[in-house]
Amino acid sequence: MERWRLRSLLALVASAIYLYGFPSTTIAYEILVLFHLAVGILLTVLLLPFLFRLLRVDAPLARVGWLFLAAGAAVGIVLIFIGTLNRLKPWLYAHIALCVIGSLFLATAWLSSHGWLDTTATQRVFRFAGLVLATAAISAGAWWSREVPWRNANRIVNPQMPAASMDGEGDGPQGKFFPSSAQTKHNGYIPAKYFMQSDACQRCHADIYKQWYSSAHHFSSFNNQWYRKSIEYMQGVAGVRASKWCAGCHDPALLFSGLFDKPIKEIVDRPEAKAGLSCLMCHSIVQVKSTMGQGDFVLEYPKLHELAASENPVVRTLHDFLVRVNPEPHRRTFLKPFMRTQTAEFCASCHKVHLDVPVNHYRWVRGFNEYDNWQASGVSGQGARSFYYPANSMMCADCHMPQVRSADLGNIDGFVHSHRFPGANTALPTANQDQTQLELSQKFLQDKQLSVDIFAISPAGNEVSAPAVAKMGRPELSTSFAVGEEADTSLPSGPAGEARAVTAPLGRVDATVRRADDVRVDVVVRTRKVGHFFPGGTIDAFDVWLELQAVDEKGQTLFWSGKVEDDGKGPVEKGAHFYRSLLIDAHGNPINKRNAWANRATVYVHLIPPGAADTAHYRLHVPENAGDKITMHAKLNYRKFMWWNTQFAFAGVQDSNQPPGAVTPDYDDRKWLFKSVDSKLISGELKTVPNLPIITVAEDTKTLNVVARSATTPQPNVTLAKEDWSRWNDYAIGLFLQGDLKSAAAAFQKAADIDPQNPDGWVNIGRALVQEGDTAGARIVLAKALTLKPGLARANFFYARILKEEGNYDEAIPRLRDVLAQYPRDRVVRNEVGRILFLQKKYAAAVAEFNQTLAIDPEDLQAHYNLMLCFSGLGDEARANEHKERYLRFKADESAQAITGPYRQAHPEDNNERQPIHEHVSVALNPPATAGKRVAASPAAAANQPGGSP
């Protein structure tokens, strides 16, 4: 019996070490789990009759060992019934600890009985200590084997060199899923049913399944009418294969099974077309190859999932039992470490895209990009030059997968990350008639994500809009999206204008206007809890705009910019202050059918960076009949999707009277008509054109006093209060980003005057003066900031830039090194160091810096340009040409801007919005407004334009 007990105990110890140290999703591993349970149960049952005798007759050390082992066995029996889920892990580790201690004492007693410890007291102590150390080493080795290789193998690491063309991405032109970059681990198809079995997850994750069921992820495919129409349109114009570019992140059940090789109209009613992004799409990603997006991931088809989804109740029950009793293999299959530790990089695989020749028949163009601007900002904690920093750095899941209370089996401390993925999509829950999801989206949008502040007034000038005197930088990258702190080539430079005399801040000062005068009203929109550009996503398809209305106490509407036609149901008036990307095709038709692949030129991109602000300007005419008080109400409005696109998606048909050649992959000159809805062609619960809600994200109200025309001209009035520091700072940020550098510096100065001990006021003056070219003035204010806080990274960066401009490279480098010590992943700072080293002809050192930039973003344009120069300096023309090829691939096609000329002439409102500094005037009001005000186009007219209205 003693030999039997010993062998059983050794079997348990050996299997336990393997099960803990080498978890895997294999049949052999699961058999070993069952073996461990069976032997443990058997040993426990057979041991019970002998336990009391052993406690009486065995050696003292053995008695202690049997007591610990019995306690561990008891906990083990309990775990068989309750499982070892996350919240029960303390019980699992109690079981392990009790059994390890018990085994240690039993091993010591056995060795002692065989004479190994039967020596002097000192030797016994040392030998026992050796046994303890051996046990600790085995335990540590099992932990290391379990954790370290697993974490190291599941990290997202960028390649040093991106592909020279899209043909080098994913599986290339011969691949099954190209031009999507997505791949499968076995280089083959995955059965469609695999992506349609989310209900199997529901058995253990009921709350998470319910959340996902209402989410935008669930409705990513052809159960989404907007997406359905865009793909039907794309396949009709550009072909089926090009549309696989979308399918990698939208249609896994179709793409990875091979069904997407057929035109979608042939299979749109199949259940595979409505599976969406299921649980098993995101959770089957075993590798993300880069942060370049574009579906750059690898999927694995775990065969053992067939047990979970089996229709055999015995098999299903056995699978669920094994998962509960040892969930680690299941967890490792469906929850890789990078999903938690590198959440943003994981999300970037689909929330960052680019197009190239196989998709757009044109060239490389950046599409939407949520990752880069987050990574370079203060929100991520990786950007050194931001205006604002949150108390703690944040990742995607902090906002879009907040923790919610749940009794789900996967909960940790009673919480799970919400799989409703709250965001700004109000269109899908409207079409699905899902009130709960709609309310969640509305609450998310209105949760102080942004703020609106009617901040200042000033006398209006003679021009409604004018380009900044400063040279406005253009994004050198070929992009239809905005470029933020990941590069500074888009910032203004050179002297710009004169500072305006303003009355501000409104609400703190009494502001007075005179009848018959024109005044400029400045409204500031600030991103507060947004971690990326606002708005984000497919910004060519939304209606996001700032509305300003002025009404006197008599009820007269004196001013209205941003009015929505058809009593709030139609399009937004064209002269509104929009936040969007306005793109056009090769013939100057607006990109408004989610046909980004036809984009050939960007008219303008107007977004607000994270932790920054935009300052909008309005020209308010005060009529003679105005009352004594004017109340101004500003609203930041959000409607997904824009009116025209919704009409097109649900009711759009082409005008049959089209000339030949009206459409190619480069342009679409056809006219579109909005007719009655054919319910058979509509996906979703709602079978009519939805009236999408307009959500007021933020708003503000301010009042002006009105005096007679004959009164003295009201003088500028400024009050500085400590509570208004951020208001002045936000106002100045908006002016700075649009190139009004003199006014920005003056406003930043007000912030510095309010709180001279806050170094940010001086830093921001300095950054404006640096951009203006006033290095002497910038040196003074930056020195003040560094006196207040010597290690302030952003102050040191701008000071280093001054030193660089003066040619003082040896002093600039140490300051930039100090910045990189705090923010090693700031690409602009890294490139600045590399550029200085290049100017010093330290080419090899410069190469090392630029390579570190490429480790952060392999598509960094400045890094490739400078590496081209560095390798030429080193005489390595082959490598220089490699980087030249990438530089030319990613660089903007400057000649494409010629296409915007005729469009801007035909669309003066869009041309006005394109200007860095511009004003908005009111729509025509009833009674007719005074001169300078315009009438918005009617919906019918908009619909009948070639390509439609933007």
Side-chain angles (χ1 to χ4, degrees):
M1 181 60 73
E2 182 180 348
R3 182 177 297 179
W4 176 86
R5 290 199 304 268
L6 178 61
R7 290 176 178 175
S8 298
L9 187 57
L10 287 174
L12 283 171
V13 170
S15 62
I17 292 171
Y18 186 87
L19 290 174
Y20 182 82
F22 305 95
S24 62
T25 314
T26 61
I27 294 291
Y29 183 88
E30 298 298 352
I31 290 174
L32 189 59
V33 171
L34 294 173
F35 170 81
H36 184 80
L37 296 179
V39 173
I41 293 171
L42 184 63
L43 181 61
T44 302
V45 170
L46 295 179
L47 187 63
L48 284 176
F50 300 96
L51 183 60
F52 292 107
R53 185 174 68 84
L54 291 171
L55 293 177
R56 287 198 311 270
V57 302
D58 256 1
L61 283 175
R63 295 176 193 176
V64 175
W66 287 119
L67 281 173
F68 273 101
L69 205 61
V75 174
I77 295 297
V78 172
L79 290 175
I80 292 174
F81 290 96
I82 66 174
T84 60
L85 307 175
N86 267 316
R87 58 189 170 84
L88 299 173
K89 269 190 175 180
W91 288 89
L92 172 62
Y93 285 107
H95 167 69
I96 294 171
L98 288 169
C99 291
V100 168
I101 295 170
S103 299
L104 175 63
F105 278 106
L106 286 173
T108 304
W110 185 86
L111 291 171
S112 179
S113 69
H114 287 73
W116 192 75
L117 296 179
D118 191 16
T119 54
T120 66
T122 302
Q123 287 178 324
R124 283 199 298 270
V125 169
F126 276 105
R127 290 187 178 185
F128 178 74
L131 196 58
V132 171
L133 288 175
T135 303
I138 292 171
S139 301
W143 176 87
W144 188 93
S145 176
R146 176 187 178 94
E147 299 294 340
V148 177
W150 170 246
R151 292 174 185 172
N152 290 342
N154 287 280
R155 295 180 62 247
I156 300 172
V157 179
N158 279 317
Q160 193 63 50
M161 182 72 77
S165 71
M166 188 173 263
D167 288 352
E169 297 172 357
D171 289 324
Q174 306 307 315
K176 297 177 175 64
F177 316 122
F178 187 80
S180 170
S181 295
Q183 297 171 280
T184 58
K185 191 173 182 179
H186 63 294
N187 296 318
Y189 291 120
I190 295 175
K193 68 175 183 179
Y194 175 69
F195 300 102
M196 301 168 63
Q197 294 172 329
S198 294
D199 56 342
C201 306
Q202 186 178 190
R203 297 200 302 272
C204 293
H205 301 291
D207 285 355
I208 289 175
Y209 175 84
K210 183 178 180 181
Q211 294 161 5
W212 164 83
Y213 195 86
S214 291
S215 74
H217 278 192
H218 180 202
F219 295 95
S220 68
S221 193
F222 298 97
N223 47 4
N224 172 340
Q225 180 60 25
W226 288 271
Y227 179 73
R228 172 180 175 173
K229 183 74 171 187
S230 70
I231 297 300
E232 290 175 346
Y233 173 82
M234 181 180 188
Q235 291 187 350
V237 176
V240 171
R241 192 181 193 205
S243 67
K244 289 185 178 182
W245 174 76
C246 308
C249 286
H250 281 265
D251 313 292
L254 297 177
L255 180 69
F256 296 110
S257 66
L259 284 172
F260 213 90
D261 292 330
K262 299 179 179 180
I264 192 56
K265 288 187 176 181
E266 296 180 14
I267 57 175
V268 72
D269 293 321
R270 293 181 58 150
E272 295 92 337
K274 296 175 172 59
L277 283 178
S278 65
C279 311
L280 296 169
M281 168 60 184
C282 296
H283 286 282
S284 294
I285 293 176
V286 294
Q287 182 187 3
V288 175
K289 296 181 291 179
S290 74
T291 60
M292 291 184 282
Q294 196 60 34
D296 198 14
F297 53 73
V298 178
L299 285 175
E300 181 180 43
Y301 174 48
K303 293 287 290 182
L304 286 184
H305 173 74
E306 294 176 8
L307 301 180
S310 173
E311 296 182 3
N312 186 318
V314 176
V315 173
R316 232 177 17 244
T317 301
L318 178 61
H319 168 272
D320 292 355
F321 169 75
L322 288 170
V323 169
R324 284 171 182 259
V325 80
N326 184 5
E328 190 62 23
H330 178 80
R331 187 180 295 121
R332 291 190 174 215
T333 300
F334 296 114
L335 192 62
K336 298 295 186 287
F338 55 71
M339 297 179 184
R340 286 182 168 173
T341 60
Q342 295 178 282
T343 307
E345 288 75 14
F346 175 56
C347 297
S349 61
C350 279
H351 290 270
K352 176 182 176 181
V353 303
H354 60 264
L355 303 88
D356 211 332
V357 176
V359 181
N360 62 9
H361 305 276
Y362 175 42
R363 54 157 300 146
W364 189 95
V365 179
R366 164 70 64 225
F368 78 90
N369 179 4
E370 310 293 27
Y371 175 75
D372 285 347
N373 53 92
W374 166 85
Q375 185 275 321
S377 75
V379 178
S380 71
Q382 300 176 39
R385 299 155 292 111
S386 297
F387 293 106
Y388 290 106
Y389 291 79
N392 299 296
S393 60
M394 302 177 72
M395 295 191 295
C396 312
D398 292 317
C399 294
H400 298 290
M401 294 185 72
Q403 289 195 329
V404 293
R405 287 203 169 274
S406 173
D408 191 281
L409 293 183
N411 82 81
I412 298 177
D413 297 327
F415 289 89
V416 297
H417 286 284
S418 174
H419 283 62
R420 284 184 179 272
F421 306 102
N425 196 322
T426 54
L428 285 173
T430 299
N432 295 331
Q433 298 181 316
D434 187 337
Q435 188 63 29
T436 301
Q437 185 74 8
L438 178 60
E439 290 173 0
L440 181 74
S441 299
Q442 181 172 344
K443 181 181 178 181
F444 179 86
L445 281 167
Q446 295 178 328
D447 188 24
K448 300 179 181 178
Q449 305 286 352
L450 296 98
S451 62
V452 172
D453 182 10
I454 305 176
F455 181 78
I457 62 169
S458 58
N462 294 325
E463 298 294 329
V464 172
S465 65
V469 178
K471 178 184 177 183
M472 288 301 296
R474 293 292 180 192
E476 294 184 14
L477 187 76
S478 177
T479 180
S480 62
F481 204 75
V483 176
E485 292 174 81
E486 63 268 31
D488 64 352
T489 55
S490 60
L491 291 176
S493 61
E498 295 297 329
R500 297 177 70 93
V502 299
T503 294
L506 299 183
R508 184 72 61 186
V509 300
D510 287 331
T512 300
V513 296
R514 197 170 57 172
R515 293 184 179 91
D517 281 355
D518 284 1
V519 294
R520 190 175 88 165
V521 180
D522 294 336
V523 182
V524 179
V525 182
R526 155 93 182 274
T527 49
R528 293 188 175 273
K529 294 168 60 177
V530 181
H532 46 70
F533 275 113
F534 175 84
T538 51
I539 53 172
D540 56 300
F542 306 160
D543 277 333
V544 186
W545 75 101
L546 186 61
E547 178 182 356
L548 181 67
Q549 190 174 14
V551 180
D552 67 12
E553 78 276 14
K554 296 186 288 186
Q556 297 182 106
T557 299
L558 309 178
F559 181 95
W560 200 344
S561 173
K563 181 180 180 181
V564 181
E565 299 173 33
D566 194 18
D567 293 326
K569 299 177 182 179
V572 183
E573 63 104 352
K574 294 183 177 181
H577 189 70
F578 287 102
Y579 296 103
R580 65 177 178 181
S581 174
L582 178 56
L583 314 173
I584 55 176
D585 67 21
H587 282 189
N589 301 302
I591 300 298
N592 53 13
K593 297 176 281 295
R594 291 301 303 120
N595 52 327
W597 40 271
N599 166 39
R600 295 296 180 268
T602 301
V603 178
Y604 67 81
V605 180
H606 190 198
L607 309 177
I608 311 176
D614 174 58
T615 301
H617 311 295
Y618 295 89
R619 176 177 289 250
L620 168 65
H621 176 74
V622 184
E624 290 281 8
N625 64 341
D628 296 330
K629 297 279 186 182
I630 295 177
T631 299
M632 298 182 294
H633 187 200
K635 297 192 298 181
L636 178 62
N637 295 320
Y638 192 104
R639 176 167 63 183
K640 183 170 183 172
F641 292 86
M642 62 178 167
W643 179 88
W644 199 96
N645 183 256
T646 297
Q647 300 297 316
F648 169 77
F650 282 79
V653 295
Q654 68 180 63
D655 188 337
S656 58
N657 300 315
Q658 302 294 318
V663 58
T664 74
D666 295 310
Y667 59 84
D668 187 349
D669 292 337
R670 295 175 294 178
K671 295 180 181 180
W672 292 86
L673 306 175
F674 303 148
K675 295 192 173 182
S676 58
V677 175
D678 183 350
S679 61
K680 295 179 182 179
L681 303 178
I682 301 299
S683 296
E685 295 295 322
L686 199 63
K687 299 301 181 181
T688 60
V689 180
N691 177 28
L692 296 180
I694 295 173
I695 307 299
T696 299
V697 178
E699 57 189 324
D700 187 37
T701 300
K702 294 292 191 307
T703 300
L704 303 176
N705 299 313
V706 182
V707 297
R709 181 176 188 174
S710 58
T712 304
T713 302
Q715 296 302 304
N717 182 11
V718 169
T719 297
L720 302 181
K722 186 176 181 179
E723 298 80 7
D724 294 328
W725 186 93
S726 63
R727 294 183 68 192
W728 280 104
N729 199 50
D730 296 344
Y731 176 59
I733 291 169
L735 297 173
F736 172 77
L737 293 178
Q738 64 192 215
D740 193 350
L741 300 179
K742 290 287 188 183
S743 294
F748 282 135
Q749 183 66 58
K750 295 292 192 297
D753 292 341
I754 290 172
D755 186 1
Q757 299 305 306
N758 186 336
D760 277 327
W762 305 111
V763 171
N764 290 337
I765 298 170
R767 78 168 83 206
L769 295 178
V770 166
Q771 290 300 123
E772 190 180 339
D774 183 0
T775 55
R779 181 189 288 270
I780 295 171
V781 292
L782 290 171
K784 287 184 180 181
L786 289 168
T787 299
L788 293 168
K789 195 171 182 179
L792 188 61
R794 42 198 178 276
N796 274 307
F797 171 79
F798 292 112
Y799 202 95
R801 182 157 277 184
I802 294 172
L803 295 172
K804 176 194 168 188
E805 291 298 318
E806 294 174 347
N808 193 345
Y809 301 149
D810 289 337
E811 288 189 29
I813 287 282
R815 288 185 180 270
L816 293 172
R817 293 289 186 203
D818 287 343
V819 177
L820 288 174
Q822 300 175 59
Y823 298 95
R825 286 176 57 81
D826 189 304
R827 289 155 48 188
V828 171
V829 181
R830 186 72 65 184
N831 283 341
E832 196 80 350
V833 173
R835 184 65 182 174
I836 293 175
L837 292 171
F838 167 78
L839 294 173
Q840 292 178 311
K841 299 186 178 180
K842 298 177 180 178
Y843 300 129
V847 166
E849 293 296 333
F850 291 124
N851 279 338
Q852 289 194 62
T853 297
L854 294 183
I856 301 167
D857 178 19
E859 297 166 325
D860 188 280
L861 191 71
Q862 294 303 313
H864 284 295
Y865 174 76
N866 283 289
L867 282 166
M868 174 185 70
L869 300 181
C870 288
F871 282 117
S872 291
L874 290 169
D876 189 343
E877 291 302 323
R879 297 183 73 179
N881 286 330
E882 285 183 347
H883 289 285
K884 178 181 179 180
E885 192 173 13
R886 273 71 178 177
Y887 172 70
L888 293 176
R889 182 188 183 200
F890 303 138
K891 188 179 183 299
D893 177 8
E894 296 173 2
S895 64
Q897 281 299 305
I899 302 173
T900 69
Y903 178 89
R904 288 186 286 122
Q905 287 182 325
H907 300 82
E909 299 92 351
D910 293 330
N911 185 55
N912 181 60
E913 190 73 353
R914 175 187 167 99
Q915 307 310 313
I917 305 172
H918 61 273
E919 295 178 353
H920 297 271
V921 296
S922 178
V923 299
L925 300 170
N926 189 20
T930 56
K933 300 181 182 179
R934 61 186 180 286
V935 179
S938 69
N944 204 34
Q945 294 177 11
S949 162

